[in-house]
Amino acid sequence: MSEQQITLRIEGMTCLDCARTLERELGKVEGVRGAEVSYATGRAHVAAATPVDAEKLTAALVQAVEGQGYRAVPADVGPDERPAARASSERPKPAARGRDGASAHEDDADYDLVVIGTGAAGMAAAIRASELGATAAIVEGGEVVGGTCVNIGCIPSKYLIEAAQRFHDARRGAPGIAACEPALAWNEVLRDKRELVGALRQEKYVDVLDAYAGVTLLRGRAELLGGGRVRIAERVVRGGKIVVATGARPAVPPINGLELVDALDSTSVMELERLPSSLVVLGGGSIGLELGQAFSRFGVRVVVVEAADRILPSETLGVSETLTKALVTDGMEFHVGTLATRVERIEGGVRLHVSQGSLAGIIEAERLLVATGRRPNVEATGLESAGVRLDPRGFIAVDEYMRTSNPDVFAAGDVTGGPGYVYVAALQGGIAAQAALADRASEGAIAIDLGTVPRVTFTDPQVAAVGLGEPEARAAGLEPRVTTLPVRHLPRALVSHRAAGEITLVSEAGTDRLLGAHLVMPNAGDVIGEAVLAIRFGLTARELVSTLHPYLTWGEGLKLAGQTFTRDVAKLSCCA
């Protein structure tokens, strides 16, 4: 028997469940053989047995839709003939668009953009797509939306660092304020951390997605099938373009016995139900140092093992040395230039076998934290089927527009192996979406600029840096000038009794142009923004110094550091 096709435009759907409900209700209408409702396009496609009175069937279908609280009109009715939409605080979702800007037909993509991953990069891509008037599906394969930062990275780790700081300050005291031994309710610390994470996940991710028209959240693991098709759980959708933003996870080094000792990573260590008595941290980078110091301040004996010859090997030598001194004073123990060769379980904990040159030794602790880097989430994503090339490290290779080797597939965030910061991921997500939908944007595709990426390590004192160090400047063919200001010369540091650290500035000889800033000091992450702007827009050290800085602030440190290029700040009065 032949079929007749009837298409309706439907208003008022707010989720995929709406579409499924309408499919069931339309399928109950007499004469209907099948119904398919697309939340993305806002259309219902109904197959009816012929012969049938199309006008009566259409009226019955409209009645069925409106009986569920939605509005429907035949798809061939023009905009001026549409009934007034029912009053609602929800914004209507725009229909999917083809590349020429016209509404998509059945053979067009379900969505203009399919974004895989709901972290910072994925969210930014979906938001930019909505701003450009496109439809976007954003896919989450895990239990919760939000990616690393809000769930298992920035937010929970900085929460624990802040809690540890307060606990430590109480135990240390201050002039005229007696030190005390505060009661630590670790379970309450964990509970409050989890509540904060949950609240921010809802407010900054789930609610944000609901606020943007044309953005649909889909649940399930995503796999690229090629040709714009993406399998999500048991269904397949098509995207005009695709953005892969699947992020990264902790890397596991090839150490014999590691899989047998229940080693912690940066995620699981923040969910410990009980504080261990001792912790050996494998890795002296930002993650290992931040978490290591936090647990040290909660009273855990912490030993850090780093294969490089210093901690924070990506920072300048001066930064590494200054931070090492501060952390040792804080009670941490370090073994640099040291390799972990084997690990075994012993009664009451773990035994780590290490080597340092020709020397061998062991380090014992109750728990082991592995913080040796991150690896991309690319497994079982179908990248090979889609012709997406990986770089030698296993990350997705992209150009300055976040394009992959497949012109219809883009990638953004940690999965690309770029600077692993949430703000970089968000920038990349927006760049990727704009490039994918360049025909909709008045300015077209925009190349990413990562020339002045600030980086912050949230230890105490903090480390923040941007731009070049002296070796990098010389390697770039520049003639650098370098100056360093000990933080003890900063009045804010003296009144706060936090005088450990230094500020190093690098400028170009001759032009005086600022090339780099490297800070080890309290609140360095808040101060570095001024240096980022100065370097990005080519300001000189003299211009930095001549800019007014409020007195008795940490930010004044940049001005004082700039003055040391030409003056002895020890011989200057306050504010001079």
Side-chain angles (χ1 to χ4, degrees), residues 316 466-484 503-518 531 534-535 538-545 558 561-566:
T316 66
V466 64
L468 305 177
E470 182 178 5
E472 293 81 13
R474 294 193 184 281
L478 303 172
E479 183 61 34
R481 294 191 308 156
V482 181
T483 189
T484 298
I503 301 173
T504 298
L505 299 181
V506 182
S507 69
E508 183 181 22
T511 67
D512 195 41
R513 179 169 58 100
L514 196 64
L515 300 176
H518 308 268
I535 295 171
L539 299 184
T540 65
R542 287 189 298 272
E543 289 170 325
L544 186 67
V545 169
L558 286 178
Q563 286 179 309
T564 63
F565 276 118
T566 57

Side-chain angles (χ1 to χ4, degrees), residues 343-367:
V343 62
E344 60 181 324
R345 183 181 295 279
I346 60 173
E347 183 178 356
V350 296
R351 176 180 291 144
L352 183 68
H353 294 257
V354 298
S355 65
Q356 191 179 68
S358 60
L359 302 176
I362 59 173
I363 299 173
E364 294 182 354
E366 184 177 343
R367 299 302 300 263

Side-chain angles (χ1 to χ4, degrees), residues 290-354:
E290 289 178 1
L291 293 173
Q293 187 183 33
F295 279 90
S296 175
R297 289 186 159 185
F298 280 126
V300 178
R301 175 178 171 263
V302 174
V303 180
V304 176
V305 176
E306 168 57 48
D309 60 0
R310 54 190 175 91
I311 63 171
L312 288 187
S314 60
E315 301 294 347
T316 66
L317 177 60
V319 165
S320 296
E321 291 177 343
T322 300
L323 184 62
T324 298
K325 182 178 179 180
L327 295 182
V328 168
T329 301
D330 210 49
M332 297 174 67
E333 179 182 336
F334 293 92
H335 297 275
V336 297
T338 303
L339 297 175
T341 58
R342 182 165 63 91
V343 62
E344 60 181 324
R345 183 181 295 279
I346 60 173
E347 183 178 356
V350 296
R351 176 180 291 144
L352 183 68
H353 294 257
V354 298

Side-chain angles (χ1 to χ4, degrees), residues 163-175:
Q165 174 80 56
R166 298 188 182 200
F167 187 71
H168 173 74
D169 287 344
R171 300 175 77 194
R172 182 176 56 181

